[in-house]
Amino acid sequence: MGAGSGGFEQGELAGMPRRLFRASPSKLLAWVDCPRRYRMQYLERPTPQTRPQRAHTSLGVAVHNALRDWWDLPGERRTPAAGAELVRTSWIESGFRDPDHSRTWRERSQEHVTTYLADVDPHSQPLGIERTVSLKTGTLALSGRIDRLDDRGDGLAVVDYKTSRTVPTDDDARTSLPLALYAAAAWKMFRRRCVRVELHHLPSGTVAVHEHTPESLQRKLAEAESIAADARRAEDDYAQFGVDSGRFPAQVGPLCQWCDFRRHCPAGQAFGPEKSDWAALEDPVPAT
Ligand code: SF4
């Protein structure tokens, strides 16, 4: 029974306003990617066991942590070499083929961070580093964490670091739902105009940029509400029927070869062999 239908909702009385649906941008995208995976990741308890962390995730976490911690150093110590050292101390060995493979990628990542930081003004302190932002709409309570939020004088800019093989384009920045939601949330929280979103690709030094308009941010918020409405209907069904709910179909496709929950999903296992722990260092993971 839908919201506002006057019926009896899960744990709520007829006629009372429904609680807001709480979600992060990644939770909304998980629903779009595969409702079956969403069920396992966000609803089933205990959460089905996932596979060990892959190498590209280890690399991404280490680089993000290094770029975060770099801003905690005193201004005079924020050098590119210090960034490379932070990559070394943040490094996570999990998922690489062997110690040599891990070292090769660690050194490569240190070079990428060194090159990237050479163009960053160490005295231009961002407004936020891994800053949590939130925003409420009529139906949705959104929250998420921004890699970096810059004050560019005439407005704020959302910066997202990318470490994958695929070089992002301006169109990727334009179509990204998370970036738009972060911009809308930052605008609301800081009461400063925030329409600029950027993808900073460490391996290539590419910066993909898009300037939203208030209208395009509004369209993204409407898109988020629409996804959330579908996910909420499915969650209500899950509360009633559990894993027998028919609202969580397996979205079988190339992502199944990378899926952390694949071992619990016979339909996904039928789609080609599982990718190795380090495959994403060589092959791009399919876009979603
Ligand atoms: S293996 Fe594929 S179909 Fe199964 S949960 Fe993962 S992404 Fe979905």
Side-chain angles (χ1 to χ4, degrees):
M1 195 171 285
S5 62
F8 190 79
E9 302 290 351
Q10 298 294 329
E12 291 168 3
L13 293 172
M16 290 189 68
R18 288 209 72 181
R19 66 192 152 70
L20 299 179
F21 185 78
R22 310 186 78 81
S24 61
S26 48
K27 184 178 176 185
L28 296 177
L29 290 186
W31 170 259
V32 173
D33 282 349
C34 177
R36 179 66 51 83
R37 178 156 68 86
Y38 178 96
R39 190 186 79 194
M40 291 192 262
Q41 188 172 354
Y42 292 103
L43 301 182
E44 290 186 35
R45 293 296 176 267
T47 306
Q49 197 179 19
T50 53
R51 67 183 319 292
Q53 184 165 285
R54 293 176 183 276
H56 71 284
T57 307
S58 299
L59 183 157
V61 170
V63 168
H64 278 72
N65 288 347
L67 291 172
R68 175 196 64 203
D69 295 344
W70 190 74
W71 290 103
D72 287 337
L73 298 172
E76 69 280 4
R77 288 184 50 208
R78 290 179 194 160
T79 61
E85 175 60 10
L86 286 170
V87 172
R88 193 185 66 75
T89 54
S90 308
W91 195 248
I92 302 161
E93 300 281 349
S94 177
F96 294 91
R97 190 171 47 222
D98 53 43
D100 279 351
H101 191 230
S102 172
R103 190 176 60 250
T104 299
W105 280 95
R106 191 198 74 213
E107 289 172 357
R108 205 171 281 178
S109 300
Q110 287 179 291
E111 282 170 28
H112 295 158
V113 166
T114 303
T115 306
Y116 176 75
L117 289 175
D119 288 332
V120 174
D121 176 359
H123 305 293
S124 180
Q125 182 74 31
L127 190 58
I129 313 279
E130 294 202 353
R131 169 77 200 220
T132 297
V133 290
S134 54
L135 171 70
K136 288 180 180 168
T137 73
T139 59
L140 188 55
L142 271 169
S143 68
R145 208 165 53 183
I146 302 177
D147 285 347
R148 199 175 92 201
L149 184 64
D150 285 356
D151 183 348
R152 301 281 172 83
D154 58 347
L156 307 182
V158 172
V159 172
D160 196 43
Y161 300 127
K162 305 305 276 185
T163 56
S164 60
R165 268 186 62 85
T166 310
V167 180
T169 63
D170 289 350
D171 210 44
D172 293 326
R174 181 183 68 80
T175 56
S176 167
L177 180 66
L179 287 182
L181 298 180
Y182 293 147
W187 188 336
K188 183 105 173 175
M189 280 184 76
F190 290 92
R191 299 172 199 270
R192 298 272 312 278
R193 183 177 172 84
C194 183
V195 291
R196 187 177 175 89
V197 295
E198 299 180 351
L199 294 167
H200 291 204
H201 187 242
L202 274 289
S204 65
T206 303
V207 176
V209 180
H210 182 66
E211 296 261 353
H212 277 286
T213 61
E215 293 74 27
S216 67
L217 290 181
Q218 205 57 51
R219 281 196 296 275
K220 290 290 189 192
L221 280 171
E223 184 184 339
E225 285 188 312
S226 170
I227 295 168
D230 289 344
R232 165 176 249 167
R233 265 193 293 275
E235 288 200 10
D236 288 348
D237 208 56
Y238 180 82
Q240 208 173 345
F241 300 109
V243 294
D244 291 328
S245 166
R247 289 188 180 264
F248 298 89
Q251 188 84 36
V252 177
L255 275 177
C256 298
Q257 295 180 280
W258 305 90
C259 177
D260 286 349
F261 293 92
R262 177 186 164 96
R263 71 172 68 167
H264 308 287
C265 179
Q269 287 166 22
F271 189 93
E274 184 173 31
K275 295 286 185 179
S276 74
D277 281 1
W278 53 87
L281 299 175
E282 279 108 34
D283 305 327
V285 180
T288 58

